[in-house]
Amino acid sequence: MASETLEFPKGFYWGTATASYQIEGAWNEDGKGPSIWDTYAHTPGKIENGDTGDVANDHYHRYKDDVKLMKELGATAYRFSISWPRIFPDGTGKPNARGLDFYTRLVDELVAAGIAPFPTLYHWDLPQALQDKGGWQSRDTSQAFADYAGYVAEKLSDRVKHFFTLNELRNFTDTGYRGLEVKVGGGFVRLEAAPGLKLETAAVNQVRHHAVLANGLAVRAIRASGKPGTQCGPADVLIGAVPLIETEENIKAAQTATRERNAPFLTVMLEGTYTDAYLKEAGADAPKFTPEDLEIISTPMDFVGINVYKPGMYVLAADNAAGYREVPFNKSHPRMFSSWHSIGPESLYWGPKMVQALWNPKAIYITENGCAADDELAEDGNVYDTDRIMFLRSCLTELQRATADGVPVKGYFLWSTMDNFEWTSGYGSRFGLVYVDFDTQKRTPKQSAFWFREAAARNTVV
Ligand code: NOJ
């Protein structure tokens, strides 16, 4: 048996995660408006294999069985996302009662199963009607998001105690409005996302600004309309620097690097100021903002959620103006199945450590961690995903080390509950604890699901 020293704190949430466009299907049912992902996936050539989220996991109709499955996995929390265009088909204006009703039923089902609901309000499926008016290039989208967030908080906060605002800001801003180059061993991988634009730096920086502004406005709206005590915060992707060699100087350098690399997102949200280096480097392309914007953006939050899959970079201390030197991933640095997924489980230790050292929030959630694998059903009907279990065990060992150091990590959400639509990679990239046959919609728990159940039940690394 694993040693008791790898236990997590009492009350630690063991969750799994999904997002609306990736699992729901029912893309045009019950009054839902189209989202930018409907438009993007319906554009030939954008998604591998021509896949779309039109049906996806058909979760919209199968949510009861899916909640049952989560219960069987021993999950105590579930992070899902609410599709904005189901609630406001045009982005603003008149809400669609049937859209809200789906999430009401889902939340009731979760609560009855003893699973704490942790909805995300924006996981990239912007109403197309708002994109037609400029999307995140328009400041009005920030206010529209806050209005929608306040409305949902008002309706659900009697049963939902935690809301995540925006998911991975860098990915719906940079990746959607310019395309993102991710450094991997031996080069770069280019990622794209809806709406699939290729804008200049000044415009992208303004889009980023509108995203953090939306976060601040939404936090205020949730506080104004939600039940007292409703907690909220972002689920951002942390670009976490990892000290290549653990020395005091290198740890300090990693903190400096983490603060700078997250300057347009977590840093400004948690400090209320864009760093000097960010503004200097942007020069004439810097975002346009007012002091009042910065006050809104830095509205205090209850927790910080971070998605952590890999080290953002390795660093060493350096005697230069930046105070750190980025060390490239070696050409042979191993990766998991996804092209961007360099392996570095220590990011689950250093990520939360950096967040604590820099911003000292009351609580931290790991809002995503997991990996894709080339999963197949074996003849005996099982899925033997040994690589995923290896990855998860290594990551959780590192996360436990952070909690043992006193970092206030309150919960962990494994991406993903089940295989689903992996954006431009379509259905070929399986991240689930549960295998999904997309022809029949049959769900089969993988070996990692049994591993997760064991870890959750014992609240320890197994
Ligand atoms: C981050 C995103 O939030 C999620 O939607 C995606 O599927 C996973 N990473 C895996 O790439």
Side-chain angles (χ1 to χ4, degrees), residues 201-226:
T201 305
V204 174
N205 286 344
Q206 201 61 38
V207 162
R208 294 167 163 185
H209 182 70
H210 293 155
V212 286
L213 184 66
N215 189 75
L217 289 168
V219 171
R220 291 182 175 196
I222 293 167
R223 299 239 191 288
S225 307

mmCIF file of all heavy atoms in Angstrom, residues 201-226:
data_model
loop_
_atom_site.group_PDB
_atom_site.id
_atom_site.type_symbol
_atom_site.label_atom_id
_atom_site.label_comp_id
_atom_site.label_asym_id
_atom_site.label_seq_id
_atom_site.Cartn_x
_atom_site.Cartn_y
_atom_site.Cartn_z
ATOM 1 N N THR A 201 -0.498 42.600 -33.390
ATOM 2 C CA THR A 201 -0.259 42.586 -31.944
ATOM 3 C C THR A 201 -1.140 43.569 -31.172
ATOM 4 O O THR A 201 -1.686 43.221 -30.120
ATOM 5 C CB THR A 201 1.231 42.895 -31.674
ATOM 6 O OG1 THR A 201 1.997 41.948 -32.418
ATOM 7 C CG2 THR A 201 1.572 42.766 -30.214
ATOM 8 N N ALA A 202 -1.284 44.791 -31.663
ATOM 9 C CA ALA A 202 -2.063 45.787 -30.909
ATOM 10 C C ALA A 202 -3.497 45.285 -30.707
ATOM 11 O O ALA A 202 -4.059 45.400 -29.608
ATOM 12 C CB ALA A 202 -2.069 47.118 -31.653
ATOM 13 N N ALA A 203 -4.059 44.713 -31.747
ATOM 14 C CA ALA A 203 -5.448 44.231 -31.651
ATOM 15 C C ALA A 203 -5.534 43.045 -30.687
ATOM 16 O O ALA A 203 -6.475 42.945 -29.890
ATOM 17 C CB ALA A 203 -5.947 43.845 -33.035
ATOM 18 N N VAL A 204 -4.542 42.164 -30.744
ATOM 19 C CA VAL A 204 -4.559 40.999 -29.848
ATOM 20 C C VAL A 204 -4.422 41.465 -28.389
ATOM 21 O O VAL A 204 -5.108 40.965 -27.493
ATOM 22 C CB VAL A 204 -3.438 39.998 -30.215
ATOM 23 C CG1 VAL A 204 -3.368 38.861 -29.204
ATOM 24 C CG2 VAL A 204 -3.666 39.442 -31.618
ATOM 25 N N ASN A 205 -3.574 42.446 -28.151
ATOM 26 C CA ASN A 205 -3.418 42.949 -26.789
ATOM 27 C C ASN A 205 -4.717 43.569 -26.271
ATOM 28 O O ASN A 205 -5.042 43.455 -25.086
ATOM 29 C CB ASN A 205 -2.275 43.969 -26.718
ATOM 30 C CG ASN A 205 -0.919 43.289 -26.799
ATOM 31 O OD1 ASN A 205 -0.818 42.075 -26.613
ATOM 32 N ND2 ASN A 205 0.121 44.044 -27.104
ATOM 33 N N GLN A 206 -5.468 44.186 -27.173
ATOM 34 C CA GLN A 206 -6.752 44.770 -26.754
ATOM 35 C C GLN A 206 -7.769 43.661 -26.455
ATOM 36 O O GLN A 206 -8.539 43.767 -25.498
ATOM 37 C CB GLN A 206 -7.266 45.719 -27.850
ATOM 38 C CG GLN A 206 -8.268 46.743 -27.340
ATOM 39 C CD GLN A 206 -7.683 47.661 -26.267
ATOM 40 O OE1 GLN A 206 -6.525 48.052 -26.336
ATOM 41 N NE2 GLN A 206 -8.476 47.964 -25.239
ATOM 42 N N VAL A 207 -7.734 42.607 -27.248
ATOM 43 C CA VAL A 207 -8.603 41.451 -26.996
ATOM 44 C C VAL A 207 -8.292 40.868 -25.611
ATOM 45 O O VAL A 207 -9.197 40.575 -24.817
ATOM 46 C CB VAL A 207 -8.394 40.384 -28.113
ATOM 47 C CG1 VAL A 207 -8.896 39.017 -27.701
ATOM 48 C CG2 VAL A 207 -9.075 40.836 -29.403
ATOM 49 N N ARG A 208 -7.016 40.727 -25.302
ATOM 50 C CA ARG A 208 -6.612 40.234 -23.972
ATOM 51 C C ARG A 208 -7.172 41.142 -22.876
ATOM 52 O O ARG A 208 -7.663 40.677 -21.846
ATOM 53 C CB ARG A 208 -5.085 40.231 -23.850
ATOM 54 C CG ARG A 208 -4.360 39.253 -24.749
ATOM 55 C CD ARG A 208 -2.885 39.594 -24.732
ATOM 56 N NE ARG A 208 -2.037 38.520 -25.228
ATOM 57 C CZ ARG A 208 -0.704 38.571 -25.211
ATOM 58 N NH1 ARG A 208 -0.089 39.651 -24.752
ATOM 59 N NH2 ARG A 208 0.014 37.559 -25.664
ATOM 60 N N HIS A 209 -7.059 42.443 -23.118
ATOM 61 C CA HIS A 209 -7.543 43.403 -22.111
ATOM 62 C C HIS A 209 -9.048 43.234 -21.890
ATOM 63 O O HIS A 209 -9.525 43.254 -20.754
ATOM 64 C CB HIS A 209 -7.208 44.833 -22.563
ATOM 65 C CG HIS A 209 -7.630 45.869 -21.572
ATOM 66 N ND1 HIS A 209 -7.003 46.029 -20.355
ATOM 67 C CD2 HIS A 209 -8.647 46.776 -21.593
ATOM 68 C CE1 HIS A 209 -7.593 47.005 -19.678
ATOM 69 N NE2 HIS A 209 -8.602 47.479 -20.410
ATOM 70 N N HIS A 210 -9.782 43.041 -22.963
ATOM 71 C CA HIS A 210 -11.232 42.865 -22.816
ATOM 72 C C HIS A 210 -11.558 41.574 -22.071
ATOM 73 O O HIS A 210 -12.570 41.494 -21.378
ATOM 74 C CB HIS A 210 -11.908 42.889 -24.192
ATOM 75 C CG HIS A 210 -11.825 44.234 -24.855
ATOM 76 N ND1 HIS A 210 -11.880 44.404 -26.215
ATOM 77 C CD2 HIS A 210 -11.662 45.487 -24.323
ATOM 78 C CE1 HIS A 210 -11.773 45.699 -26.493
ATOM 79 N NE2 HIS A 210 -11.627 46.365 -25.367
ATOM 80 N N ALA A 211 -10.698 40.575 -22.208
ATOM 81 C CA ALA A 211 -10.930 39.308 -21.496
ATOM 82 C C ALA A 211 -10.752 39.497 -19.985
ATOM 83 O O ALA A 211 -11.587 39.058 -19.192
ATOM 84 C CB ALA A 211 -9.990 38.226 -22.019
ATOM 85 N N VAL A 212 -9.690 40.165 -19.567
ATOM 86 C CA VAL A 212 -9.504 40.351 -18.118
ATOM 87 C C VAL A 212 -10.535 41.332 -17.560
ATOM 88 O O VAL A 212 -10.985 41.199 -16.415
ATOM 89 C CB VAL A 212 -8.054 40.775 -17.741
ATOM 90 C CG1 VAL A 212 -7.111 39.593 -17.870
ATOM 91 C CG2 VAL A 212 -7.551 41.959 -18.550
ATOM 92 N N LEU A 213 -10.932 42.292 -18.389
ATOM 93 C CA LEU A 213 -11.987 43.215 -17.972
ATOM 94 C C LEU A 213 -13.288 42.439 -17.753
ATOM 95 O O LEU A 213 -14.016 42.661 -16.776
ATOM 96 C CB LEU A 213 -12.174 44.288 -19.048
ATOM 97 C CG LEU A 213 -13.160 45.405 -18.748
ATOM 98 C CD1 LEU A 213 -12.667 46.278 -17.593
ATOM 99 C CD2 LEU A 213 -13.367 46.286 -19.999
ATOM 100 N N ALA A 214 -13.575 41.519 -18.659
ATOM 101 C CA ALA A 214 -14.777 40.680 -18.543
ATOM 102 C C ALA A 214 -14.737 39.899 -17.239
ATOM 103 O O ALA A 214 -15.756 39.758 -16.546
ATOM 104 C CB ALA A 214 -14.855 39.709 -19.722
ATOM 105 N N ASN A 215 -13.557 39.417 -16.880
ATOM 106 C CA ASN A 215 -13.439 38.659 -15.641
ATOM 107 C C ASN A 215 -13.818 39.531 -14.436
ATOM 108 O O ASN A 215 -14.634 39.144 -13.601
ATOM 109 C CB ASN A 215 -12.018 38.123 -15.490
ATOM 110 C CG ASN A 215 -11.904 37.152 -14.333
ATOM 111 O OD1 ASN A 215 -12.348 36.018 -14.442
ATOM 112 N ND2 ASN A 215 -11.379 37.601 -13.204
ATOM 113 N N GLY A 216 -13.247 40.724 -14.375
ATOM 114 C CA GLY A 216 -13.528 41.623 -13.248
ATOM 115 C C GLY A 216 -14.993 42.022 -13.190
ATOM 116 O O GLY A 216 -15.618 42.010 -12.110
ATOM 117 N N LEU A 217 -15.558 42.350 -14.336
ATOM 118 C CA LEU A 217 -16.981 42.741 -14.372
ATOM 119 C C LEU A 217 -17.861 41.567 -13.943
ATOM 120 O O LEU A 217 -18.853 41.747 -13.234
ATOM 121 C CB LEU A 217 -17.365 43.198 -15.788
ATOM 122 C CG LEU A 217 -16.786 44.548 -16.245
ATOM 123 C CD1 LEU A 217 -17.008 44.735 -17.750
ATOM 124 C CD2 LEU A 217 -17.412 45.718 -15.464
ATOM 125 N N ALA A 218 -17.477 40.363 -14.360
ATOM 126 C CA ALA A 218 -18.275 39.179 -14.025
ATOM 127 C C ALA A 218 -18.197 38.886 -12.526
ATOM 128 O O ALA A 218 -19.200 38.544 -11.896
ATOM 129 C CB ALA A 218 -17.799 37.969 -14.827
ATOM 130 N N VAL A 219 -17.016 39.043 -11.937
ATOM 131 C CA VAL A 219 -16.886 38.804 -10.490
ATOM 132 C C VAL A 219 -17.829 39.758 -9.749
ATOM 133 O O VAL A 219 -18.560 39.360 -8.838
ATOM 134 C CB VAL A 219 -15.419 38.993 -10.030
ATOM 135 C CG1 VAL A 219 -15.313 38.962 -8.514
ATOM 136 C CG2 VAL A 219 -14.530 37.912 -10.652
ATOM 137 N N ARG A 220 -17.867 41.009 -10.188
ATOM 138 C CA ARG A 220 -18.766 41.983 -9.543
ATOM 139 C C ARG A 220 -20.241 41.588 -9.750
ATOM 140 O O ARG A 220 -21.059 41.698 -8.835
ATOM 141 C CB ARG A 220 -18.508 43.376 -10.103
ATOM 142 C CG ARG A 220 -17.152 43.891 -9.659
ATOM 143 C CD ARG A 220 -16.864 45.282 -10.146
ATOM 144 N NE ARG A 220 -15.584 45.721 -9.565
ATOM 145 C CZ ARG A 220 -15.173 46.982 -9.535
ATOM 146 N NH1 ARG A 220 -15.915 47.930 -10.052
ATOM 147 N NH2 ARG A 220 -14.014 47.290 -8.982
ATOM 148 N N ALA A 221 -20.552 41.132 -10.944
ATOM 149 C CA ALA A 221 -21.947 40.757 -11.241
ATOM 150 C C ALA A 221 -22.361 39.531 -10.419
ATOM 151 O O ALA A 221 -23.491 39.450 -9.924
ATOM 152 C CB ALA A 221 -22.099 40.478 -12.736
ATOM 153 N N ILE A 222 -21.447 38.583 -10.255
ATOM 154 C CA ILE A 222 -21.770 37.372 -9.477
ATOM 155 C C ILE A 222 -21.997 37.768 -8.014
ATOM 156 O O ILE A 222 -22.928 37.312 -7.355
ATOM 157 C CB ILE A 222 -20.651 36.316 -9.621
ATOM 158 C CG1 ILE A 222 -20.605 35.797 -11.059
ATOM 159 C CG2 ILE A 222 -20.847 35.160 -8.636
ATOM 160 C CD1 ILE A 222 -19.368 34.980 -11.416
ATOM 161 N N ARG A 223 -21.148 38.658 -7.511
ATOM 162 C CA ARG A 223 -21.319 39.132 -6.127
ATOM 163 C C ARG A 223 -22.651 39.857 -5.957
ATOM 164 O O ARG A 223 -23.311 39.746 -4.938
ATOM 165 C CB ARG A 223 -20.209 40.111 -5.771
ATOM 166 C CG ARG A 223 -18.823 39.551 -5.835
ATOM 167 C CD ARG A 223 -18.129 39.649 -4.480
ATOM 168 N NE ARG A 223 -16.707 39.340 -4.599
ATOM 169 C CZ ARG A 223 -16.231 38.119 -4.812
ATOM 170 N NH1 ARG A 223 -17.061 37.102 -4.897
ATOM 171 N NH2 ARG A 223 -14.935 37.916 -4.918
ATOM 172 N N ALA A 224 -23.037 40.637 -6.981
ATOM 173 C CA ALA A 224 -24.260 41.433 -6.873
ATOM 174 C C ALA A 224 -25.513 40.555 -6.974
ATOM 175 O O ALA A 224 -26.509 40.820 -6.310
ATOM 176 C CB ALA A 224 -24.284 42.504 -7.964
ATOM 177 N N SER A 225 -25.446 39.487 -7.787
ATOM 178 C CA SER A 225 -26.673 38.721 -8.046
ATOM 179 C C SER A 225 -26.705 37.354 -7.385
ATOM 180 O O SER A 225 -27.778 36.746 -7.291
ATOM 181 C CB SER A 225 -26.853 38.507 -9.556
ATOM 182 O OG SER A 225 -26.785 39.718 -10.232
ATOM 183 N N GLY A 226 -25.547 36.845 -6.977
ATOM 184 C CA GLY A 226 -25.509 35.504 -6.389
ATOM 185 C C GLY A 226 -25.843 35.561 -4.899
ATOM 186 O O GLY A 226 -25.824 36.618 -4.284
#
